[in-house]
Amino acid sequence: MTQPTYDAVSLAIMWDRLISVTDEIVSTLVRTSFSTIVRESYDLSVVLLDAEGKLMAQGSFSVPVFIGTAPRTLRYMLEKFPPETLKPGDVIATNDPWMGTGHIFDISVMRPVFRDGRLIGYTMSITHLPDIGGLGFGAAATEVFHEGLRLPICKLASEGTLDPFILELVETNVRVPDQTVGDLLANVTCNEVGGRQLLDFMDEYRLDELGPLSEAIRSQSESAMRDKIAEMANGTYAHEIQIEGVEGPSTLACTVEVKDESIHADFTGTSGCVRHGINVPLCYTNAMTLYAIKCMTAATIPNNEGFTRPVTVSAPEGCLLHAQPPSPTGGRHIIGHFVPSLIFGALAESAPDKVQADCGMMDLMTIQGTAPNGRGISTIYFSSGGFGALAGQDGGDTVPGPSNMAVVPVETWEAITGMTVLEKRFLPDSGGPGAARGGVGQAVHLRNDSGHPMTVFCMANRTEFPPVGFDGGQNGQMREHRVNGEIVHPKGSYVLQNGDTITLTQAGGGGIGDPKARDRAKVLADVRDGFVTVEGAERDYFVTF
């Protein structure tokens, strides 16, 4: 049978339409979810895959750590439930860290799509659940068994009928069953909508199958990615950094080989796993590596499996970036978010105009307790440091990187938790000085006014090693957590009594280029806008008033 071909215009239109389908799935997921983690912060991803399990399109709103994970998860699902055994209305799910996205708090939900009785593709959604039992989302666990309910690959629904036992099992094991089960069912709903949308798309364009279109999209993406990699200087580049662990520093190391139109990243030399929930499965390391390289090459290409083909990743089993069971992985982002910094540092010689200075990164804190109305609380507070500078471009102020979750609005946060946001303010001089300045961090001051004790799990990094500047740019300010004014361990858990406060001082991004080369008008504007003090302008930029 002759495979159809697509001219550039037709391919672009159909490609965009598939992305619009994924965005409609996201919209359904957000509208039907119960937790602020999905509804407000968009800690989620949705994808469309063809009948061979190849990733065709991913939602515009997707967290970078979910890049490239879905095809691997689908392969595990199909090993247990082969395609020929699936029926319309079946829903498959798992939150296994090593089959999904690296920790037990993310649920992956898949639904096969049938057309005229034939399996033509799959939809999949991934969201961070508000709770899954155990100790809760944090770095305190010493084994994965402490972290909560680990669902093997299971059939959540059979031919449209939900399995009541699985729902009851989840409901029984979590602190906020209405939110957790509600979010789980939102995943089921959005995938059902996604299947209908995909069939409507095929009707509109009179497609009997998706394979040829999927291959055309992926081939275009792969070709564009390889062309961009070819612009980088061939060679083998090594980089190593020290980062804060829990009981002492750890080493992250990588060797990146650029060879013609492909890149291989190897993380040999990285420290071993630790008995705290900061270990990183390889699926997460792979996603962060893909994200970093895509930022440097073909950032505007929508995510699909084609752009991942030229990039391969390896790491020794048992190292911090290739954790094996039963290592706890709950706070894997604390370490995994350093992977782009590691890659950028390695490739600074090969492509100096494309790397980014270190980000202040996002700060996540789990809150567990009782709201003033007596309802249980188990949710996440997101706040951000400054974005790292780029060549010729200042880093965004309090903009997250390398992740992109949104911050819950103050009014919503106070209403659902009973915590008062006493203060949120920019921190002048926290961004690393440079010809391009690093984004400034912020100070966030919260008080427990719920009337009940609250447990907080801190998951902070950048507390011992600052965000590094590149090419003569200076480092950003480090992060700090305080409870009632006293500095606390950035990965510890603490009980806030009613009236207690916690202050999050967020790191600034690193700068790029010699600060003396910064345009005087930009320095004056920074002082006027409150991002740099008069003293900082004189000290760091030699601009006097």
Side-chain angles (χ1 to χ4, degrees):
M1 179 173 141
T2 304
Q3 294 291 328
T5 58
Y6 300 93
D7 62 83
V9 174
S10 297
L11 181 61
I13 291 171
M14 297 173 77
W15 191 349
D16 283 346
R17 283 281 284 108
L18 282 176
I19 295 171
S20 74
V21 170
T22 65
D23 289 344
E24 184 64 28
I25 304 172
V26 170
S27 179
T28 303
L29 178 57
V30 170
R31 290 198 310 269
T32 57
S33 67
F34 281 60
S35 74
T36 58
I37 298 169
V38 177
R39 191 176 66 246
E40 302 285 354
S41 298
Y42 280 73
D43 192 348
L44 56 82
S45 181
V46 301
V47 297
L48 298 176
L49 306 103
D50 64 21
E52 294 183 352
K54 306 296 186 182
L55 177 60
M56 297 186 297
Q58 187 167 13
S60 301
F61 292 94
S62 289
V63 179
V65 301
F66 299 151
I67 294 176
T69 62
R72 187 170 179 270
T73 302
L74 180 61
R75 285 195 294 273
Y76 282 115
M77 290 177 168
L78 296 182
E79 285 177 8
K80 185 165 184 178
F81 297 101
E84 63 272 15
T85 69
L86 296 174
K87 305 290 184 182
D90 286 352
V91 179
I92 313 299
T94 186
N95 69 337
D96 187 289
W98 289 273
M99 297 180 182
T101 65
H103 71 179
I104 208 168
F105 303 94
D106 288 339
I107 188 78
S108 297
V109 179
M110 178 275 282
R111 187 175 186 131
V113 183
F114 289 83
R115 178 181 174 85
D116 298 327
R118 293 185 300 110
L119 180 64
I120 55 88
Y122 306 88
T123 66
M124 185 182 294
S125 61
I126 308 165
T127 66
H128 185 116
L129 294 172
D131 193 69
I132 199 65
L135 292 174
F137 180 36
T142 59
E143 292 182 304
V144 70
F145 309 111
H146 300 159
E147 295 184 318
L149 180 65
R150 183 176 167 190
L151 288 171
I153 293 171
C154 57
K155 193 171 281 191
L156 187 58
S158 296
E159 298 185 63
T161 301
L162 289 165
D163 187 327
F165 172 75
I166 294 177
L167 296 180
E168 184 180 5
L169 178 68
V170 173
E171 188 177 50
T172 303
N173 279 277
V174 300
R175 297 171 179 84
V176 284
D178 53 344
Q179 291 185 45
T180 303
V181 174
D183 277 11
L184 187 57
L185 295 181
N187 278 275
V188 174
T189 299
C190 78
N191 278 286
E192 197 276 333
V193 169
R196 292 204 309 260
Q197 292 272 334
L198 188 57
L199 293 176
D200 288 345
F201 166 82
M202 295 178 71
D203 287 340
E204 180 179 347
Y205 289 97
R206 300 179 181 177
L207 300 176
D208 292 324
E209 58 180 333
L210 295 168
L213 175 60
S214 173
E215 176 58 30
I217 290 171
R218 290 180 284 115
S219 294
Q220 284 276 56
S221 300
E222 179 181 1
S223 178
M225 187 74 167
R226 291 191 184 279
D227 288 345
K228 288 296 184 180
I229 293 174
E231 296 175 4
M232 302 170 71
N234 277 353
T236 301
Y237 308 94
H239 190 48
E240 182 178 298
I241 60 176
Q242 293 288 300
I243 60 171
E244 59 268 46
V246 177
E247 297 175 349
S250 293
T251 299
L252 299 185
C254 75
T255 301
V256 182
E257 181 183 13
V258 180
K259 186 176 181 181
D260 300 328
E261 298 177 348
S262 65
I263 289 178
H264 178 70
D266 178 72
F267 293 92
T268 298
T270 295
S271 296
C273 285
V274 297
R275 283 184 60 81
H276 295 277
I278 60 174
N279 303 291
V280 187
L282 188 62
C283 55
Y284 194 98
T285 302
N286 184 69
M288 285 282 88
T289 302
L290 289 169
Y291 166 78
I293 293 173
K294 190 182 180 198
C295 285
M296 296 181 64
T297 53
T300 59
I301 294 178
N303 289 339
N304 61 70
E305 199 162 337
F307 95 84
T308 70
R309 288 173 177 170
V311 181
T312 54
V313 175
S314 61
E317 285 193 6
C319 80
L320 200 53
L321 295 175
H322 193 175
Q324 299 295 301
S327 293
T329 65
R332 88 277 201 239
H333 69 278
I334 302 171
I335 303 299
H337 281 181
F338 283 95
V339 170
S341 298
L342 193 60
I343 298 292
F344 292 147
L347 293 176
E349 179 184 347
S350 176
D353 60 327
K354 294 182 172 65
V355 298
Q356 179 186 19
D358 284 357
C359 289
M361 299 186 179
M362 177 165 273
D363 193 5
L364 281 67
M365 183 174 65
T366 296
I367 307 292
Q368 295 175 354
T370 306
N373 63 5
R375 296 179 66 86
I377 302 168
S378 181
T379 190
I380 306 171
Y381 187 81
F382 297 94
S383 57
S384 178
F387 207 60
L390 299 161
Q393 183 175 333
D394 292 349
D397 303 304
T398 66
V399 170
S403 198
N404 61 350
M405 277 81 78
V407 175
V408 178
V410 169
E411 297 82 1
T412 302
W413 179 258
E414 292 183 339
I416 66 171
T417 66
M419 293 189 85
T420 302
V421 182
L422 299 173
E423 177 186 47
K424 291 183 74 173
R425 61 180 174 86
F426 288 124
L427 292 172
D429 296 336
S430 60
R437 173 180 57 78
V440 301
Q442 62 180 315
V444 181
H445 195 50
L446 307 169
R447 185 177 63 210
N448 177 15
D449 288 329
S450 68
H452 308 277
M454 278 186 172
T455 300
V456 298
F457 291 91
C458 297
M459 290 175 279
N461 49 25
R462 296 291 190 205
T463 57
E464 297 177 27
F465 300 92
V468 176
F470 284 178
D471 192 27
Q474 296 182 21
N475 298 342
Q477 175 182 289
M478 290 191 290
R479 177 172 280 115
E480 184 181 84
H481 283 190
R482 291 176 179 264
V483 172
N484 294 328
E486 298 294 326
I487 294 177
V488 296
H489 196 288
K491 298 174 183 64
S493 60
Y494 306 94
V495 176
L496 302 183
Q497 301 298 329
N498 191 58
D500 285 353
T501 63
I502 185 165
T503 304
L504 314 174
T505 301
Q506 304 299 6
I512 282 187
D514 187 346
K516 289 183 288 186
R518 185 167 178 78
D519 185 88
R520 176 181 171 86
K522 291 184 177 180
V523 178
L524 295 177
D526 284 342
V527 173
R528 183 181 64 247
D529 293 338
F531 300 138
V532 174
T533 63
V534 170
E535 296 77 15
E538 295 177 350
R539 178 187 65 244
D540 300 325
Y541 297 101
F542 302 94
V543 173
T544 57
F545 295 82

